[in-house]
Amino acid sequence: MAESKDYSEVFHIISLCTLDVICESALGANIDAQRVPSPYLDAVFKMKYIIHQRQIKPQYYPDIIFNLFGAGSDQKKCVKLLHEFTTTAIEKRKALIQAAGGLEKFMEEKNESSGHRKMAFLDLMLQMVEKGDLDRDGLQEEVDTFVFEGHDTTSAAMNFFLHLMGANPEIQERVHREIDDVIGDSVRDLTFDDIGRLRYLEACLKETLRMYPSVPMIARQCVEDTKVGNHILPKGTGVVIIASMVHRDPRYWDNPEIFNPERFLDSELKHPYAYIPFSAGSRNCIGQRFAMMEEKCIIARILREFKVQSSVRTDQLRIAAELIIRPMHGNYIKFERRNFGDYSPMTSS
Ligand code: HEM
């Protein structure tokens, strides 16, 4: 829904950015996806569509029908490409470690060249494989889950955040003031300490995930008879939890349709499971702290320099809920360079 040339479609470029971040931090690989075309991202996009289509079309549930008449062969091609991407990353890292004479020496070399300790998540897992705590297939699965879960979810969250900022200028102004206050006069990367001080931004990011949880559905199977209210769900029953319905339940949220970050400042949840963007229980998201830090760093950098405006109002925004949600017609944002004279920091620091 590009209304004028002043608005840029940002959905795809933000996904490329989060893919770069997860590849560097989890795999130790710089793929420069923001500049070099990424077949991986195209395959992710296609796979999400294929899986979603299969979910909503029961005629494709049997493999034979799906393979003969559905997108079975396209799926195979995508899965091959996705696995090749992560396999290549694993093999490259292993080769670098071997060439350096083991993980310890490899880390020493890296620390010397970068000036600080930088260990990729993959290094930890390779260590586990070496010790026999994880097998090769397990490693591949972990890496696949990590790269997928680690970029698309964060990208969706930042996209909806930018939309909400652009549609709520007063709230955006308060975020600007906080960022100015924390960063001061310069435009620079955030420190760990800065991240902790961006409390209002954090409340806005949490409120974004309340209204637009990146993972729309969480599926589970009852491993025993389970009582829910007055009903017994027999063992084996499939259960689907729709996070956005939980997040808009008026029993637990006042004015749930209103974007109001205040609700995450100093107030308790009315129920421990009223807010579940990262799921809950033993298989909840292991990347939630990382995601919050990543989002704060990227968003603070953008909003430090720009005011954003959305091309549509929130009630006009249409959502496509596939494996991860996305704005159905793209996310059109206008960026206007800030005049720092407009804002005075909330406190002097
Ligand atoms: C805003 C960002 C994120 C959201 C909303 C999110 C949400 C979720 C949810 C709802 C699940 C549970 C899915 C299910 O049970 O069906 C999950 C699992 C997972 N997430 Fe995230 N996630 C985010 C960011 C990340 C990041 C940055 C990483 C990696 C650094 C990550 C890694 C994982 C992994 C590995 C799992 C699987 C955990 C398991 O099965 O034990 N996530 N995430």
PDB file of all heavy atoms in Angstrom, residues 22 26 142 145-146 149-151 153-154 157 209 213-215 217-220 276-279 282-288 290-292 294-295, ligand 1:
ATOM      1  N   ILE A  22      21.761 -12.480  13.386  1.00  0.00           N
ATOM      2  CA  ILE A  22      21.761 -13.835  13.961  1.00  0.00           C
ATOM      3  C   ILE A  22      22.908 -14.661  13.363  1.00  0.00           C
ATOM      4  O   ILE A  22      23.520 -15.473  14.054  1.00  0.00           O
ATOM      5  CB  ILE A  22      20.380 -14.544  13.793  1.00  0.00           C
ATOM      6  CG1 ILE A  22      20.268 -15.747  14.730  1.00  0.00           C
ATOM      7  CG2 ILE A  22      20.110 -15.011  12.392  1.00  0.00           C
ATOM      8  CD1 ILE A  22      20.186 -15.409  16.164  1.00  0.00           C
ATOM      9  N   ALA A  26      25.178 -16.047  16.138  1.00  0.00           N
ATOM     10  CA  ALA A  26      24.978 -17.476  16.401  1.00  0.00           C
ATOM     11  C   ALA A  26      25.974 -18.329  15.619  1.00  0.00           C
ATOM     12  O   ALA A  26      26.452 -19.340  16.125  1.00  0.00           O
ATOM     13  CB  ALA A  26      23.547 -17.889  16.052  1.00  0.00           C
ATOM     14  N   GLU A 142      19.631 -27.804  15.859  1.00  0.00           N
ATOM     15  CA  GLU A 142      19.726 -26.612  16.721  1.00  0.00           C
ATOM     16  C   GLU A 142      20.043 -25.373  15.896  1.00  0.00           C
ATOM     17  O   GLU A 142      19.464 -24.303  16.087  1.00  0.00           O
ATOM     18  CB  GLU A 142      20.819 -26.789  17.795  1.00  0.00           C
ATOM     19  CG  GLU A 142      20.508 -27.828  18.856  1.00  0.00           C
ATOM     20  CD  GLU A 142      19.271 -27.492  19.664  1.00  0.00           C
ATOM     21  OE1 GLU A 142      18.955 -26.305  19.827  1.00  0.00           O
ATOM     22  OE2 GLU A 142      18.596 -28.430  20.120  1.00  0.00           O
ATOM     23  N   THR A 145      17.021 -24.268  13.855  1.00  0.00           N
ATOM     24  CA  THR A 145      16.000 -23.627  14.702  1.00  0.00           C
ATOM     25  C   THR A 145      16.451 -22.224  15.068  1.00  0.00           C
ATOM     26  O   THR A 145      15.690 -21.258  15.004  1.00  0.00           O
ATOM     27  CB  THR A 145      15.792 -24.417  16.025  1.00  0.00           C
ATOM     28  OG1 THR A 145      15.673 -25.783  15.711  1.00  0.00           O
ATOM     29  CG2 THR A 145      14.581 -23.953  16.785  1.00  0.00           C
ATOM     30  N   PHE A 146      17.704 -22.125  15.466  1.00  0.00           N
ATOM     31  CA  PHE A 146      18.237 -20.855  15.915  1.00  0.00           C
ATOM     32  C   PHE A 146      18.186 -19.777  14.852  1.00  0.00           C
ATOM     33  O   PHE A 146      17.748 -18.668  15.095  1.00  0.00           O
ATOM     34  CB  PHE A 146      19.701 -21.069  16.327  1.00  0.00           C
ATOM     35  CG  PHE A 146      19.925 -20.572  17.691  1.00  0.00           C
ATOM     36  CD1 PHE A 146      19.548 -21.355  18.771  1.00  0.00           C
ATOM     37  CD2 PHE A 146      20.458 -19.331  17.915  1.00  0.00           C
ATOM     38  CE1 PHE A 146      19.705 -20.889  20.047  1.00  0.00           C
ATOM     39  CE2 PHE A 146      20.624 -18.853  19.190  1.00  0.00           C
ATOM     40  CZ  PHE A 146      20.254 -19.624  20.260  1.00  0.00           C
ATOM     41  N   GLU A 149      14.337 -19.119  14.041  1.00  0.00           N
ATOM     42  CA  GLU A 149      13.634 -18.459  15.162  1.00  0.00           C
ATOM     43  C   GLU A 149      14.284 -17.124  15.494  1.00  0.00           C
ATOM     44  O   GLU A 149      13.643 -16.219  16.001  1.00  0.00           O
ATOM     45  CB  GLU A 149      13.666 -19.347  16.418  1.00  0.00           C
ATOM     46  CG  GLU A 149      12.711 -20.508  16.401  1.00  0.00           C
ATOM     47  CD  GLU A 149      11.296 -20.105  16.787  1.00  0.00           C
ATOM     48  OE1 GLU A 149      11.071 -18.933  17.121  1.00  0.00           O
ATOM     49  OE2 GLU A 149      10.429 -20.975  16.751  1.00  0.00           O
ATOM     50  N   GLY A 150      15.572 -17.037  15.236  1.00  0.00           N
ATOM     51  CA  GLY A 150      16.322 -15.866  15.688  1.00  0.00           C
ATOM     52  C   GLY A 150      16.239 -14.667  14.770  1.00  0.00           C
ATOM     53  O   GLY A 150      16.677 -13.592  15.148  1.00  0.00           O
ATOM     54  N   HIS A 151      15.722 -14.815  13.541  1.00  0.00           N
ATOM     55  CA  HIS A 151      15.703 -13.606  12.716  1.00  0.00           C
ATOM     56  C   HIS A 151      14.296 -13.151  12.337  1.00  0.00           C
ATOM     57  O   HIS A 151      13.971 -11.974  12.381  1.00  0.00           O
ATOM     58  CB  HIS A 151      16.567 -13.773  11.450  1.00  0.00           C
ATOM     59  CG  HIS A 151      15.873 -14.428  10.312  1.00  0.00           C
ATOM     60  ND1 HIS A 151      15.784 -15.783  10.193  1.00  0.00           N
ATOM     61  CD2 HIS A 151      15.207 -13.918   9.256  1.00  0.00           C
ATOM     62  CE1 HIS A 151      15.100 -16.071   9.114  1.00  0.00           C
ATOM     63  NE2 HIS A 151      14.730 -14.972   8.520  1.00  0.00           N
ATOM     64  N   THR A 153      11.308 -13.686  13.761  1.00  0.00           N
ATOM     65  CA  THR A 153      10.503 -13.209  14.887  1.00  0.00           C
ATOM     66  C   THR A 153      10.894 -11.776  15.266  1.00  0.00           C
ATOM     67  O   THR A 153      10.035 -10.916  15.473  1.00  0.00           O
ATOM     68  CB  THR A 153      10.783 -14.100  16.111  1.00  0.00           C
ATOM     69  OG1 THR A 153      12.202 -14.277  16.202  1.00  0.00           O
ATOM     70  CG2 THR A 153      10.122 -15.445  16.002  1.00  0.00           C
ATOM     71  N   THR A 154      12.200 -11.540  15.338  1.00  0.00           N
ATOM     72  CA  THR A 154      12.689 -10.214  15.741  1.00  0.00           C
ATOM     73  C   THR A 154      12.357  -9.191  14.664  1.00  0.00           C
ATOM     74  O   THR A 154      12.021  -8.046  14.954  1.00  0.00           O
ATOM     75  CB  THR A 154      14.222 -10.259  15.937  1.00  0.00           C
ATOM     76  OG1 THR A 154      14.612 -11.590  16.162  1.00  0.00           O
ATOM     77  CG2 THR A 154      14.652  -9.418  17.088  1.00  0.00           C
ATOM     78  N   ALA A 157       8.765  -8.214  14.977  1.00  0.00           N
ATOM     79  CA  ALA A 157       8.564  -7.323  16.124  1.00  0.00           C
ATOM     80  C   ALA A 157       9.014  -5.898  15.789  1.00  0.00           C
ATOM     81  O   ALA A 157       8.316  -4.924  16.096  1.00  0.00           O
ATOM     82  CB  ALA A 157       9.336  -7.847  17.333  1.00  0.00           C
ATOM     83  N   LEU A 209       4.724  -6.456  21.216  1.00  0.00           N
ATOM     84  CA  LEU A 209       4.571  -7.914  21.186  1.00  0.00           C
ATOM     85  C   LEU A 209       3.249  -8.363  21.812  1.00  0.00           C
ATOM     86  O   LEU A 209       2.759  -9.446  21.527  1.00  0.00           O
ATOM     87  CB  LEU A 209       5.739  -8.595  21.904  1.00  0.00           C
ATOM     88  CG  LEU A 209       7.042  -8.668  21.118  1.00  0.00           C
ATOM     89  CD1 LEU A 209       8.161  -9.230  21.990  1.00  0.00           C
ATOM     90  CD2 LEU A 209       6.898  -9.544  19.867  1.00  0.00           C
ATOM     91  N   PRO A 213       2.016 -10.403  18.632  1.00  0.00           N
ATOM     92  CA  PRO A 213       3.011 -11.438  18.955  1.00  0.00           C
ATOM     93  C   PRO A 213       3.539 -12.063  17.660  1.00  0.00           C
ATOM     94  O   PRO A 213       2.744 -12.531  16.834  1.00  0.00           O
ATOM     95  CB  PRO A 213       2.212 -12.451  19.788  1.00  0.00           C
ATOM     96  CG  PRO A 213       0.774 -12.127  19.567  1.00  0.00           C
ATOM     97  CD  PRO A 213       0.664 -10.719  19.101  1.00  0.00           C
ATOM     98  N   SER A 214       4.851 -12.055  17.477  1.00  0.00           N
ATOM     99  CA  SER A 214       5.442 -12.509  16.208  1.00  0.00           C
ATOM    100  C   SER A 214       5.006 -13.935  15.852  1.00  0.00           C
ATOM    101  O   SER A 214       4.776 -14.254  14.693  1.00  0.00           O
ATOM    102  CB  SER A 214       6.967 -12.482  16.293  1.00  0.00           C
ATOM    103  OG  SER A 214       7.432 -11.254  16.774  1.00  0.00           O
ATOM    104  N   VAL A 215       4.939 -14.811  16.885  1.00  0.00           N
ATOM    105  CA  VAL A 215       4.524 -16.207  16.634  1.00  0.00           C
ATOM    106  C   VAL A 215       3.031 -16.278  16.955  1.00  0.00           C
ATOM    107  O   VAL A 215       2.643 -16.221  18.119  1.00  0.00           O
ATOM    108  CB  VAL A 215       5.318 -17.184  17.537  1.00  0.00           C
ATOM    109  CG1 VAL A 215       4.903 -18.623  17.291  1.00  0.00           C
ATOM    110  CG2 VAL A 215       6.825 -17.009  17.329  1.00  0.00           C
ATOM    111  N   MET A 217       0.704 -18.633  16.647  1.00  0.00           N
ATOM    112  CA  MET A 217       0.085 -19.838  17.207  1.00  0.00           C
ATOM    113  C   MET A 217       1.145 -20.694  17.886  1.00  0.00           C
ATOM    114  O   MET A 217       2.228 -20.875  17.332  1.00  0.00           O
ATOM    115  CB  MET A 217      -0.472 -20.697  16.074  1.00  0.00           C
ATOM    116  CG  MET A 217      -1.836 -20.311  15.630  1.00  0.00           C
ATOM    117  SD  MET A 217      -2.485 -21.591  14.561  1.00  0.00           S
ATOM    118  CE  MET A 217      -1.518 -21.424  13.130  1.00  0.00           C
ATOM    119  N   ILE A 218       0.797 -21.206  19.053  1.00  0.00           N
ATOM    120  CA  ILE A 218       1.701 -22.136  19.727  1.00  0.00           C
ATOM    121  C   ILE A 218       0.944 -23.459  19.813  1.00  0.00           C
ATOM    122  O   ILE A 218      -0.182 -23.490  20.322  1.00  0.00           O
ATOM    123  CB  ILE A 218       2.060 -21.610  21.134  1.00  0.00           C
ATOM    124  CG1 ILE A 218       2.738 -20.228  21.010  1.00  0.00           C
ATOM    125  CG2 ILE A 218       2.979 -22.578  21.859  1.00  0.00           C
ATOM    126  CD1 ILE A 218       2.860 -19.488  22.329  1.00  0.00           C
ATOM    127  N   ALA A 219       1.528 -24.523  19.282  1.00  0.00           N
ATOM    128  CA  ALA A 219       0.818 -25.813  19.252  1.00  0.00           C
ATOM    129  C   ALA A 219       1.462 -26.786  20.232  1.00  0.00           C
ATOM    130  O   ALA A 219       2.686 -26.844  20.354  1.00  0.00           O
ATOM    131  CB  ALA A 219       0.863 -26.380  17.839  1.00  0.00           C
ATOM    132  N   ARG A 220       0.618 -27.502  20.938  1.00  0.00           N
ATOM    133  CA  ARG A 220       1.095 -28.497  21.900  1.00  0.00           C
ATOM    134  C   ARG A 220       0.195 -29.727  21.827  1.00  0.00           C
ATOM    135  O   ARG A 220      -0.918 -29.656  21.315  1.00  0.00           O
ATOM    136  CB  ARG A 220       1.052 -27.949  23.337  1.00  0.00           C
ATOM    137  CG  ARG A 220       2.036 -26.821  23.618  1.00  0.00           C
ATOM    138  CD  ARG A 220       3.473 -27.329  23.643  1.00  0.00           C
ATOM    139  NE  ARG A 220       4.406 -26.283  24.023  1.00  0.00           N
ATOM    140  CZ  ARG A 220       5.027 -25.492  23.154  1.00  0.00           C
ATOM    141  NH1 ARG A 220       4.798 -25.605  21.863  1.00  0.00           N
ATOM    142  NH2 ARG A 220       5.883 -24.596  23.571  1.00  0.00           N
ATOM    143  N   ILE A 276       2.227 -13.983  26.695  1.00  0.00           N
ATOM    144  CA  ILE A 276       3.034 -15.150  26.300  1.00  0.00           C
ATOM    145  C   ILE A 276       3.653 -15.014  24.898  1.00  0.00           C
ATOM    146  O   ILE A 276       3.633 -15.975  24.127  1.00  0.00           O
ATOM    147  CB  ILE A 276       2.170 -16.443  26.357  1.00  0.00           C
ATOM    148  CG1 ILE A 276       0.818 -16.223  25.633  1.00  0.00           C
ATOM    149  CG2 ILE A 276       1.974 -16.934  27.775  1.00  0.00           C
ATOM    150  CD1 ILE A 276       0.074 -17.507  25.312  1.00  0.00           C
ATOM    151  N   PRO A 277       4.221 -13.850  24.545  1.00  0.00           N
ATOM    152  CA  PRO A 277       4.798 -13.727  23.188  1.00  0.00           C
ATOM    153  C   PRO A 277       5.966 -14.686  22.987  1.00  0.00           C
ATOM    154  O   PRO A 277       6.292 -15.035  21.852  1.00  0.00           O
ATOM    155  CB  PRO A 277       5.273 -12.272  23.126  1.00  0.00           C
ATOM    156  CG  PRO A 277       5.474 -11.871  24.533  1.00  0.00           C
ATOM    157  CD  PRO A 277       4.458 -12.627  25.334  1.00  0.00           C
ATOM    158  N   PHE A 278       6.616 -15.080  24.092  1.00  0.00           N
ATOM    159  CA  PHE A 278       7.754 -16.001  23.982  1.00  0.00           C
ATOM    160  C   PHE A 278       7.358 -17.403  24.439  1.00  0.00           C
ATOM    161  O   PHE A 278       8.203 -18.203  24.803  1.00  0.00           O
ATOM    162  CB  PHE A 278       8.929 -15.483  24.823  1.00  0.00           C
ATOM    163  CG  PHE A 278       9.467 -14.164  24.336  1.00  0.00           C
ATOM    164  CD1 PHE A 278       9.159 -12.978  24.990  1.00  0.00           C
ATOM    165  CD2 PHE A 278      10.273 -14.098  23.204  1.00  0.00           C
ATOM    166  CE1 PHE A 278       9.646 -11.757  24.533  1.00  0.00           C
ATOM    167  CE2 PHE A 278      10.765 -12.888  22.740  1.00  0.00           C
ATOM    168  CZ  PHE A 278      10.453 -11.721  23.403  1.00  0.00           C
ATOM    169  N   SER A 279       6.049 -17.684  24.416  1.00  0.00           N
ATOM    170  CA  SER A 279       5.510 -18.935  24.922  1.00  0.00           C
ATOM    171  C   SER A 279       5.788 -19.025  26.433  1.00  0.00           C
ATOM    172  O   SER A 279       6.172 -18.019  27.056  1.00  0.00           O
ATOM    173  CB  SER A 279       6.095 -20.121  24.155  1.00  0.00           C
ATOM    174  OG  SER A 279       5.477 -21.313  24.558  1.00  0.00           O
ATOM    175  N   SER A 282       8.493 -25.226  29.700  1.00  0.00           N
ATOM    176  CA  SER A 282       9.853 -25.729  29.472  1.00  0.00           C
ATOM    177  C   SER A 282      10.347 -25.508  28.042  1.00  0.00           C
ATOM    178  O   SER A 282      11.542 -25.545  27.792  1.00  0.00           O
ATOM    179  CB  SER A 282       9.920 -27.209  29.834  1.00  0.00           C
ATOM    180  OG  SER A 282       8.956 -27.893  29.086  1.00  0.00           O
ATOM    181  N   ARG A 283       9.459 -25.298  27.073  1.00  0.00           N
ATOM    182  CA  ARG A 283       9.922 -25.066  25.702  1.00  0.00           C
ATOM    183  C   ARG A 283       9.682 -23.621  25.278  1.00  0.00           C
ATOM    184  O   ARG A 283       9.367 -23.352  24.127  1.00  0.00           O
ATOM    185  CB  ARG A 283       9.227 -26.034  24.723  1.00  0.00           C
ATOM    186  CG  ARG A 283       9.491 -27.497  24.973  1.00  0.00           C
ATOM    187  CD  ARG A 283      10.974 -27.813  25.027  1.00  0.00           C
ATOM    188  NE  ARG A 283      11.676 -27.602  23.767  1.00  0.00           N
ATOM    189  CZ  ARG A 283      11.877 -28.551  22.854  1.00  0.00           C
ATOM    190  NH1 ARG A 283      11.418 -29.770  23.053  1.00  0.00           N
ATOM    191  NH2 ARG A 283      12.554 -28.285  21.757  1.00  0.00           N
ATOM    192  N   ASN A 284       9.851 -22.723  26.224  1.00  0.00           N
ATOM    193  CA  ASN A 284       9.669 -21.320  25.835  1.00  0.00           C
ATOM    194  C   ASN A 284      10.890 -20.829  25.070  1.00  0.00           C
ATOM    195  O   ASN A 284      11.850 -21.568  24.859  1.00  0.00           O
ATOM    196  CB  ASN A 284       9.335 -20.444  27.054  1.00  0.00           C
ATOM    197  CG  ASN A 284      10.542 -20.204  27.930  1.00  0.00           C
ATOM    198  OD1 ASN A 284      11.603 -20.768  27.724  1.00  0.00           O
ATOM    199  ND2 ASN A 284      10.372 -19.390  28.935  1.00  0.00           N
ATOM    200  N   CYS A 285      10.833 -19.575  24.627  1.00  0.00           N
ATOM    201  CA  CYS A 285      11.898 -19.042  23.776  1.00  0.00           C
ATOM    202  C   CYS A 285      13.180 -18.844  24.573  1.00  0.00           C
ATOM    203  O   CYS A 285      13.180 -18.192  25.609  1.00  0.00           O
ATOM    204  CB  CYS A 285      11.443 -17.716  23.197  1.00  0.00           C
ATOM    205  SG  CYS A 285      12.714 -16.922  22.229  1.00  0.00           S
ATOM    206  N   ILE A 286      14.275 -19.390  24.025  1.00  0.00           N
ATOM    207  CA  ILE A 286      15.534 -19.204  24.765  1.00  0.00           C
ATOM    208  C   ILE A 286      16.244 -17.917  24.321  1.00  0.00           C
ATOM    209  O   ILE A 286      17.272 -17.560  24.864  1.00  0.00           O
ATOM    210  CB  ILE A 286      16.485 -20.414  24.592  1.00  0.00           C
ATOM    211  CG1 ILE A 286      16.795 -20.645  23.110  1.00  0.00           C
ATOM    212  CG2 ILE A 286      15.906 -21.646  25.206  1.00  0.00           C
ATOM    213  CD1 ILE A 286      17.912 -21.639  22.886  1.00  0.00           C
ATOM    214  N   GLY A 287      15.656 -17.241  23.308  1.00  0.00           N
ATOM    215  CA  GLY A 287      16.353 -16.061  22.785  1.00  0.00           C
ATOM    216  C   GLY A 287      15.732 -14.749  23.210  1.00  0.00           C
ATOM    217  O   GLY A 287      16.059 -13.699  22.657  1.00  0.00           O
ATOM    218  N   GLN A 288      14.819 -14.782  24.234  1.00  0.00           N
ATOM    219  CA  GLN A 288      14.058 -13.555  24.487  1.00  0.00           C
ATOM    220  C   GLN A 288      14.907 -12.391  24.990  1.00  0.00           C
ATOM    221  O   GLN A 288      14.684 -11.253  24.608  1.00  0.00           O
ATOM    222  CB  GLN A 288      12.863 -13.797  25.402  1.00  0.00           C
ATOM    223  CG  GLN A 288      13.102 -14.580  26.640  1.00  0.00           C
ATOM    224  CD  GLN A 288      11.784 -14.908  27.321  1.00  0.00           C
ATOM    225  OE1 GLN A 288      11.068 -14.032  27.767  1.00  0.00           O
ATOM    226  NE2 GLN A 288      11.445 -16.175  27.403  1.00  0.00           N
ATOM    227  N   PHE A 290      18.082 -11.945  24.362  1.00  0.00           N
ATOM    228  CA  PHE A 290      18.884 -11.535  23.202  1.00  0.00           C
ATOM    229  C   PHE A 290      18.025 -10.661  22.280  1.00  0.00           C
ATOM    230  O   PHE A 290      18.457  -9.609  21.803  1.00  0.00           O
ATOM    231  CB  PHE A 290      19.377 -12.784  22.468  1.00  0.00           C
ATOM    232  CG  PHE A 290      20.174 -12.503  21.226  1.00  0.00           C
ATOM    233  CD1 PHE A 290      21.550 -12.372  21.293  1.00  0.00           C
ATOM    234  CD2 PHE A 290      19.568 -12.362  19.992  1.00  0.00           C
ATOM    235  CE1 PHE A 290      22.288 -12.096  20.153  1.00  0.00           C
ATOM    236  CE2 PHE A 290      20.291 -12.082  18.851  1.00  0.00           C
ATOM    237  CZ  PHE A 290      21.663 -11.963  18.933  1.00  0.00           C
ATOM    238  N   ALA A 291      16.780 -11.118  22.031  1.00  0.00           N
ATOM    239  CA  ALA A 291      15.882 -10.396  21.119  1.00  0.00           C
ATOM    240  C   ALA A 291      15.654  -8.971  21.621  1.00  0.00           C
ATOM    241  O   ALA A 291      15.710  -8.015  20.849  1.00  0.00           O
ATOM    242  CB  ALA A 291      14.552 -11.130  21.000  1.00  0.00           C
ATOM    243  N   MET A 292      15.423  -8.827  22.926  1.00  0.00           N
ATOM    244  CA  MET A 292      15.153  -7.502  23.481  1.00  0.00           C
ATOM    245  C   MET A 292      16.374  -6.593  23.316  1.00  0.00           C
ATOM    246  O   MET A 292      16.258  -5.422  22.942  1.00  0.00           O
ATOM    247  CB  MET A 292      14.759  -7.666  24.966  1.00  0.00           C
ATOM    248  CG  MET A 292      14.242  -6.431  25.632  1.00  0.00           C
ATOM    249  SD  MET A 292      12.903  -5.575  24.770  1.00  0.00           S
ATOM    250  CE  MET A 292      11.462  -6.527  25.216  1.00  0.00           C
ATOM    251  N   GLU A 294      18.800  -6.911  21.080  1.00  0.00           N
ATOM    252  CA  GLU A 294      18.997  -6.622  19.647  1.00  0.00           C
ATOM    253  C   GLU A 294      18.033  -5.524  19.182  1.00  0.00           C
ATOM    254  O   GLU A 294      18.426  -4.563  18.525  1.00  0.00           O
ATOM    255  CB  GLU A 294      18.768  -7.914  18.848  1.00  0.00           C
ATOM    256  CG  GLU A 294      18.761  -7.691  17.353  1.00  0.00           C
ATOM    257  CD  GLU A 294      18.438  -8.959  16.570  1.00  0.00           C
ATOM    258  OE1 GLU A 294      18.370 -10.055  17.170  1.00  0.00           O
ATOM    259  OE2 GLU A 294      18.250  -8.855  15.349  1.00  0.00           O
ATOM    260  N   GLU A 295      16.762  -5.688  19.560  1.00  0.00           N
ATOM    261  CA  GLU A 295      15.760  -4.701  19.126  1.00  0.00           C
ATOM    262  C   GLU A 295      16.086  -3.318  19.664  1.00  0.00           C
ATOM    263  O   GLU A 295      15.994  -2.327  18.947  1.00  0.00           O
ATOM    264  CB  GLU A 295      14.371  -5.124  19.614  1.00  0.00           C
ATOM    265  CG  GLU A 295      13.814  -6.284  18.828  1.00  0.00           C
ATOM    266  CD  GLU A 295      12.549  -6.838  19.442  1.00  0.00           C
ATOM    267  OE1 GLU A 295      11.841  -6.092  20.150  1.00  0.00           O
ATOM    268  OE2 GLU A 295      12.269  -8.023  19.224  1.00  0.00           O
TER     269      GLU A 295
HETATM  270  C1  HEM B   1      10.796 -10.983  19.364  1.00  0.00           C
HETATM  271  C2  HEM B   1      11.518 -12.046  19.135  1.00  0.00           C
HETATM  272  C3  HEM B   1      11.112 -13.459  19.419  1.00  0.00           C
HETATM  273  C4  HEM B   1       9.879 -13.995  19.665  1.00  0.00           C
HETATM  274  C5  HEM B   1       8.533 -13.282  19.723  1.00  0.00           C
HETATM  275  C6  HEM B   1      10.068 -15.421  19.875  1.00  0.00           C
HETATM  276  C7  HEM B   1       9.048 -16.310  20.176  1.00  0.00           C
HETATM  277  C8  HEM B   1       9.237 -17.662  20.385  1.00  0.00           C
HETATM  278  C9  HEM B   1       8.184 -18.595  20.710  1.00  0.00           C
HETATM  279  C10 HEM B   1       6.700 -18.228  20.862  1.00  0.00           C
HETATM  280  C11 HEM B   1       8.730 -19.816  20.827  1.00  0.00           C
HETATM  281  C12 HEM B   1       8.009 -21.128  21.166  1.00  0.00           C
HETATM  282  C13 HEM B   1       7.489 -21.729  19.883  1.00  0.00           C
HETATM  283  C14 HEM B   1       6.697 -22.969  20.129  1.00  0.00           C
HETATM  284  O1  HEM B   1       6.802 -23.538  21.189  1.00  0.00           O
HETATM  285  O2  HEM B   1       5.941 -23.381  19.242  1.00  0.00           O
HETATM  286  C15 HEM B   1      10.158 -19.673  20.580  1.00  0.00           C
HETATM  287  C16 HEM B   1      11.064 -20.695  20.612  1.00  0.00           C
HETATM  288  C17 HEM B   1      12.409 -20.552  20.353  1.00  0.00           C
HETATM  289  N1  HEM B   1      13.082 -19.374  20.120  1.00  0.00           N
HETATM  290 FE1  HEM B   1      12.267 -17.537  20.027  1.00  0.00          FE
HETATM  291  N2  HEM B   1      11.393 -15.703  19.740  1.00  0.00           N
HETATM  292  C18 HEM B   1      12.067 -14.550  19.466  1.00  0.00           C
HETATM  293  C19 HEM B   1      13.428 -14.396  19.265  1.00  0.00           C
HETATM  294  C20 HEM B   1      14.337 -15.417  19.302  1.00  0.00           C
HETATM  295  C21 HEM B   1      15.760 -15.253  19.120  1.00  0.00           C
HETATM  296  C22 HEM B   1      16.468 -13.927  18.841  1.00  0.00           C
HETATM  297  C23 HEM B   1      16.318 -16.489  19.198  1.00  0.00           C
HETATM  298  C24 HEM B   1      17.753 -16.901  19.087  1.00  0.00           C
HETATM  299  C25 HEM B   1      18.751 -16.126  19.438  1.00  0.00           C
HETATM  300  C26 HEM B   1      15.247 -17.440  19.455  1.00  0.00           C
HETATM  301  C27 HEM B   1      15.420 -18.792  19.607  1.00  0.00           C
HETATM  302  C28 HEM B   1      14.404 -19.678  19.877  1.00  0.00           C
HETATM  303  C29 HEM B   1      14.604 -21.118  19.987  1.00  0.00           C
HETATM  304  C30 HEM B   1      15.917 -21.858  19.802  1.00  0.00           C
HETATM  305  C31 HEM B   1      13.354 -21.673  20.281  1.00  0.00           C
HETATM  306  C32 HEM B   1      13.022 -23.144  20.493  1.00  0.00           C
HETATM  307  C33 HEM B   1      13.118 -23.452  21.977  1.00  0.00           C
HETATM  308  C34 HEM B   1      12.727 -24.902  22.256  1.00  0.00           C
HETATM  309  O3  HEM B   1      12.008 -25.514  21.475  1.00  0.00           O
HETATM  310  O4  HEM B   1      13.134 -25.399  23.315  1.00  0.00           O
HETATM  311  N3  HEM B   1      14.072 -16.746  19.516  1.00  0.00           N
HETATM  312  N4  HEM B   1      10.430 -18.352  20.317  1.00  0.00           N
END
